Amino acid sequence: MTTATPAPPITSRAQATNLALATLAFTVSFWAWNLVGPLAITYAANLGLSAGQKSVLVAIPILVGSLGRIITGALTDRYGGRTMFPALLIATVPFVLLIAVAGELDSYWLLLVAGFFLGVGGTTFAVGIPFVNAWYDPSRRGFATGVFGAGMGGTALSAFFTPRFVDWFGYFTTHVIIAVVLVVVAVICRAFMRDSPRWAPNHDPVLPKLVGAAKLPITWEMGFLYAAAFGGFVAFSTYLPTYLNDVYSIDTQGAGTRTAGFAIAAVIARPAGGVLADRYGPRLITFISCAGAAVLAIWMLTKPPLEIPAGIDFVLMALFMGLGSGSVFTWVAQVAPPERVGSVTGIVGAAGGLGGFFPPMVMGATYDADAHSYTLGLALLSAFAVAAALTTAFVIRKQDRT
């Protein structure tokens, strides 16, 4: 009679090391993913883009970064984060450089093509959630996924530094710097990152796994809520420079600084959302997040003046969206079957990304150039947040903690 070999003990040092490396990789990849948004004002001026063309340019990287998570989540179940993180970081490099070439050539269509494939950088989220889940006990997964999720602060780094790098080093050199950083971090992750001893590769065919995850009601319930919380964050963090320029006539660097502040607030709130969801339950924290975002979107409709009233509105919006992003994935960690965490994460993450793809498109289509306002777009955002809050409170059935 054979006995199962116990899994090696997991030390707090190993947990911290791998969580830090995953967060670093996520941060750098999100910086690369958001290279277009901070420079949208410059592209619009150089290429004479309309509001609609500008919104498409900003939103297009989100598409692959969203839908690609479905595949990368399932592949992470098979190959593990130690393989997937470096592979995706390296795969992003050519498209960072292609963005640089497209910008130098002032080619709108090449920017769209390069931006589309740049979305590869946004798929790392679906790698990190199952990777860090395997390292932590269920009672600590809200904390772990919240800390990892803070890597979305890469959008803040991009918003603040990308326009300044262009000013300091030049447009093409800025993109070369980001490409080099991606390669360095990929090498570091491959050398020092380890998959959890609790993790075992799942060699089931990818398509049936995705179909199985898609059959779980919780997958679509969490996907809808994540589209409201994280999707709202992605939409604002990528489109906010354009919004601030259109509504308040703020230049590229000024808009980038304010967008960085928005992103930092969300980054701080995301781990807090995970920890609070561990303690008080993800349903309550998610409801508070969605309801708060709805109220703040209505306030935004009034075009509060700069700096203090508008700043408070934007920062509070970021805080509520960050809380919701953390609480939703605490919910996922509690209820998703362990063998399907990667697949469920991929679909939920894709829904969240798509939640960030459509709002910039809607904002561009509903922009009132005469009034310098986005009244209809913000009203739709508020309505979506209200629907998410009501769904959280009354539609999603009670779930036991696993």
Side-chain angles (χ1 to χ4, degrees):
M1 180 176 179
T2 60
T3 58
T5 302
I10 292 179
T11 65
S12 57
R13 180 177 179 178
Q15 287 177 323
T17 298
N18 285 281
L19 178 57
L21 289 172
T23 305
L24 173 63
F26 184 35
T27 302
V28 171
S29 65
F30 253 44
W31 183 335
W33 189 37
N34 191 39
L35 274 175
V36 174
L39 300 177
I41 299 170
T42 301
Y43 292 134
N46 291 345
L47 303 176
L49 304 182
S50 66
Q53 289 175 314
K54 188 164 49 173
S55 66
V56 171
L57 181 61
V58 169
I60 201 69
I62 301 173
L63 188 61
V64 171
S66 305
L67 297 178
R69 293 175 186 180
I70 298 174
I71 301 301
T72 56
L75 291 175
T76 301
D77 286 340
R78 174 176 292 188
Y79 297 109
R82 182 172 181 255
T83 295
M84 291 298 296
F85 269 124
L88 292 174
L89 291 170
I90 294 297
T92 306
V93 170
F95 305 112
V96 170
L97 298 176
L98 188 58
I99 285 284
V101 172
E104 289 285 356
L105 295 176
D106 287 334
S107 171
Y108 177 68
W109 293 106
L110 188 55
L111 278 171
L112 288 181
V113 171
F116 179 83
F117 289 105
L118 187 66
V120 170
T123 65
T124 53
F125 175 80
V127 176
I129 293 294
F131 177 79
V132 301
N133 266 359
W135 275 104
Y136 285 82
D137 295 327
S139 62
R140 294 273 288 165
R141 285 176 183 165
F143 160 78
T145 58
V147 171
F148 168 74
M152 66 188 189
T155 59
L157 295 175
S158 184
F160 186 83
F161 285 109
T162 299
R164 286 169 171 79
F165 276 21
V166 170
D167 186 49
W168 298 338
F169 308 119
Y171 175 81
F172 196 91
T173 304
T174 294
H175 291 75
V176 172
I177 291 171
I178 301 303
V180 170
V181 171
L182 287 167
V183 172
V184 170
V185 174
V187 171
I188 291 172
C189 287
R190 187 60 187 172
F192 299 105
M193 184 178 276
R194 296 292 181 270
D195 290 305
S196 168
R198 296 172 181 165
W199 175 80
N202 184 334
H203 292 289
D204 294 340
V206 171
L207 185 58
K209 282 197 301 182
L210 291 174
V211 171
K215 289 180 178 179
L216 299 173
I218 197 66
T219 301
W220 300 106
E221 293 165 350
M222 294 298 103
F224 176 69
L225 298 182
Y226 201 57
F230 182 73
F233 163 77
V234 170
F236 268 95
S237 60
T238 55
Y239 199 74
L240 194 55
T242 299
Y243 179 93
L244 291 171
N245 179 256
D246 289 341
V247 176
Y248 295 104
S249 300
I250 298 175
D251 63 16
T252 301
Q253 288 197 14
T257 300
R258 289 164 176 81
T259 302
F262 174 91
I264 289 170
V267 167
I268 293 171
R270 180 158 186 157
V275 172
L276 290 172
D278 278 339
R279 182 166 184 177
Y280 299 106
R283 183 186 300 272
L284 174 62
I285 306 305
T286 304
F287 175 80
I288 291 172
S289 164
C290 295
V295 172
L296 291 163
I298 293 172
W299 184 15
M300 209 174 290
L301 280 168
T302 66
K303 296 200 321 190
L306 293 175
E307 291 282 339
I308 301 302
I312 291 174
D313 190 358
F314 289 129
V315 169
L316 288 177
M317 176 71 83
L319 290 172
F320 278 111
M321 288 178 174
L323 284 174
S325 298
S327 64
V328 168
F329 260 98
T330 300
W331 214 339
V332 171
Q334 291 178 5
V335 300
E339 71 279 6
R340 297 194 185 276
V341 170
S343 300
V344 173
T345 295
I347 296 174
V348 174
L354 288 175
F357 172 74
F358 289 107
M361 306 287 284
V362 172
M363 296 289 270
T366 59
Y367 175 58
D368 185 341
D370 294 330
H372 298 284
S373 69
Y374 288 92
T375 301
L376 180 57
L378 290 172
L380 292 172
L381 172 63
S382 180
F384 187 54
V386 168
L390 294 176
T391 299
T392 301
F394 301 112
V395 176
I396 299 178
R397 66 188 184 277
K398 300 293 183 182
Q399 298 282 354
D400 293 331
R401 295 172 72 96
T402 59

